Amino acid sequence: MRVEVDTGMCIGAGMCALTAPEVFGQDDVEGVVVLADERPPPHLHAAVRDAVDRCPAAVIRVHERG
């Protein structure tokens, strides 16, 4: 799994950081998503997919192969 985020379109809701804090954080100044782990380990994949579903701005993309 490879994760991408579009920080330019992020609205700073923070659902990703709450759902998968090992993979996502938030910028202290702007509040937008910060990707902490572009290639999370398998035990975090379900949480990453959940974060994708919960993102109100739909700025997280997951590439299952890659």
Side-chain angles (χ1 to χ4, degrees):
M1 170 184 280
R2 185 172 57 82
V3 182
E4 290 182 347
V5 295
D6 183 348
T7 57
M9 296 301 292
C10 179
I11 62 171
M15 295 307 298
C16 57
L18 292 172
T19 305
E22 301 91 342
V23 180
F24 305 102
Q26 280 188 282
D27 178 81
D28 289 336
V29 176
E30 306 227 358
V32 298
V33 62
V34 174
L35 184 59
D37 192 349
E38 178 181 292
R39 296 188 184 275
H43 73 276
L44 295 176
H45 289 188
V48 171
R49 289 185 196 100
D50 193 24
V52 170
D53 291 341
R54 293 174 183 264
C55 179
V59 301
I60 306 168
R61 289 183 186 73
V62 171
H63 305 277
E64 294 293 342
R65 296 178 186 220

